[in-house]
Amino acid sequence: DNWRYAMEEGLTDPQGLYATKFKEEIEANSDHTVQIYPVGTLGESADAMEQAQAGLLQFIDQSPGFTGALIPEAEAFLVPYIQPTDPQVVRKFFKEGVAVNEMFHDIYREQGLELLSVFPEGEMVVTTMEEFRTPADLEGMKIRTMTSPLLLETYTAFGASPIAMPWGELIGGLKTKMVDGQENPAIWIEAYDLDNLTNVMTYTGHGQYTTAVMANAEFYDALSDADKELVQNASQVALDYILDVAVELDATGLAKIQESNPGYTINRLTEEERAPFKERAKAVEAAFVERAGERGAAILEQMKKDLAAAQQ
Ligand code: 6CS
């Protein structure tokens, strides 16, 4: 069969590297083919998700930054100052973490999705027109976020005026000054020229860009045992590959920005400067638990344990 696979990025971006590896594995070990639909080819993230849930797509890569609007528990990946940022810790957290690897499967199933892999794309950094070091500095800044509600709550708590929008509107939004800034990992900022549309990039240490690959559950359940194993093996190979690559994504993204845009201001908030943001993150965590309930709270507690274990 020909399997359709949609993602939110291009073939040379992290999601594309995973998808390409997945496709290679499937095609090398079966008669099936995988057709990859990169960013922009099937509408926005939310459109592709509708198609995946309806079974028009067999596979989809969608990030919690969007999936959180559908699955509140997925917003656990968005709660500020819970995710690791140090690359080696990141790798361990995603590879060995109990929360990441065991607690989301059944939750995604409830939305008709068989969760295959969860992986990181780099630390979230904020690009703005003006420098900021305190929540007060962020006052009045219109920051674009992905569409999960927790991101709006985060930037409101941080002092800014967030605006949620799909990816396809961001570049136009920055050009027309509808927004003054946005957050994304360095590798993506560089690839899509977001540094050239803003003046400052700030490391706040509050998050990790995470994404997830899923299959339509009905499609998956109807596969033969051999094909299920094929899909699981291909996911595992692609995940191992991307987790190895992920360790370098931040450094590569940053180095490329520094090289191509030497005048760009890059700030890293100190521990002291991060403190007020961490303080404000508590309210965001409470909002998460409010929406995601006991199951969400348990995931968050497990993530904190996984983080501690990964830091050892
Ligand atoms: O900001 C966004 O919407 C996009 N960011 C990344 C890193 N991947 C895809 C997503 O749509």
Side-chain angles (χ1 to χ4, degrees):
D1 293 355
N2 183 45
W3 293 340
R4 291 154 56 95
Y5 182 126
M7 59 182 185
E8 304 169 315
E9 301 186 349
L11 288 169
T12 56
D13 301 318
Q15 293 181 16
L17 300 179
Y18 177 104
T20 303
K21 187 63 94 184
F22 179 82
K23 172 185 165 76
E24 282 168 10
E25 281 298 309
I26 296 287
E27 294 182 352
N29 295 296
S30 73
D31 291 333
H32 302 299
T33 50
V34 176
Q35 191 171 355
I36 301 174
Y37 294 88
V39 58
T41 52
L42 294 176
E44 296 290 356
S45 292
D47 303 315
M49 181 53 95
E50 279 181 18
Q51 296 171 36
Q53 287 184 299
L56 300 170
L57 290 166
Q58 284 70 48
F59 298 97
I60 180 169
D61 187 326
Q62 192 189 66
S63 309
F66 295 106
T67 315
L70 183 71
I71 304 177
E73 292 89 341
E75 294 192 309
F77 290 104
L78 311 173
V79 177
Y81 295 106
I82 299 289
Q83 300 296 313
T85 53
D86 175 88
Q88 295 301 339
V89 178
V90 168
R91 192 171 183 281
K92 228 172 147 202
F93 179 84
F94 281 88
K95 215 176 164 58
E96 296 168 16
V98 175
V100 174
N101 292 295
E102 293 175 22
M103 297 178 84
F104 290 97
H105 181 268
D106 295 355
I107 295 171
Y108 275 68
R109 270 263 155 185
E110 290 168 11
Q111 293 297 330
L113 302 163
E114 168 74 18
L115 183 62
L116 297 172
S117 288
V118 178
F119 62 90
E121 297 189 23
E123 177 174 347
M124 278 303 215
V125 282
V126 191
T127 71
T128 51
M129 303 312 287
E130 311 275 341
E131 291 190 46
F132 74 90
R133 295 202 173 266
T134 66
D137 292 343
L138 274 175
E139 216 169 288
M141 283 195 205
K142 294 177 295 216
I143 306 291
R144 177 269 177 173
T145 68
M146 292 176 282
T147 56
S148 285
L150 201 85
L151 297 169
L152 293 174
E153 286 154 1
T154 298
Y155 277 89
T156 302
F158 284 180
S161 304
I163 303 175
M165 54 175 77
W167 164 251
E169 290 172 24
L170 175 56
I171 290 180
L174 284 166
K175 285 185 178 160
T176 58
K177 310 273 180 256
M178 193 179 143
V179 291
D180 311 307
Q182 61 89 39
E183 63 164 15
N184 254 312
I187 195 83
W188 184 262
I189 290 168
E190 195 279 331
Y192 291 85
D193 247 5
L194 301 175
D195 53 325
N196 289 314
L197 292 168
T198 51
N199 298 324
V200 193
M201 179 163 108
T202 304
Y203 284 81
T204 49
H206 75 277
Q208 174 68 221
Y209 188 97
T210 303
T211 197
V213 180
M214 304 142 246
N216 171 285
E218 261 179 59
F219 153 78
Y220 181 81
D221 288 344
L223 292 176
S224 66
D225 286 349
D227 278 347
K228 283 191 185 113
E229 202 182 317
L230 173 76
V231 167
Q232 291 296 341
N233 286 344
S235 309
Q236 194 57 50
V237 169
L239 178 63
D240 286 342
Y241 165 69
I242 200 70
L243 285 177
D244 281 341
V245 174
V247 179
E248 289 152 29
L249 294 176
D250 273 339
T252 308
L254 178 59
K256 282 190 185 169
I257 291 171
Q258 285 170 321
E259 196 186 300
S260 66
N261 195 354
Y264 198 52
T265 304
I266 298 172
N267 289 340
R268 200 172 279 274
L269 299 191
T270 62
E271 271 309 311
E272 216 178 352
E273 287 166 340
R274 289 176 187 196
F277 291 99
K278 285 187 184 171
E279 188 55 36
R280 286 159 180 247
K282 289 179 187 162
V284 184
E285 189 173 328
F288 166 76
V289 172
E290 174 115 340
R291 247 196 320 276
E294 271 176 38
R295 243 172 18 174
I299 288 172
L300 213 54
E301 287 319 304
Q302 186 60 47
M303 277 187 172
K304 290 177 187 174
K305 287 184 199 156
D306 292 344
L307 182 59
Q311 279 165 336
Q312 303 233 315

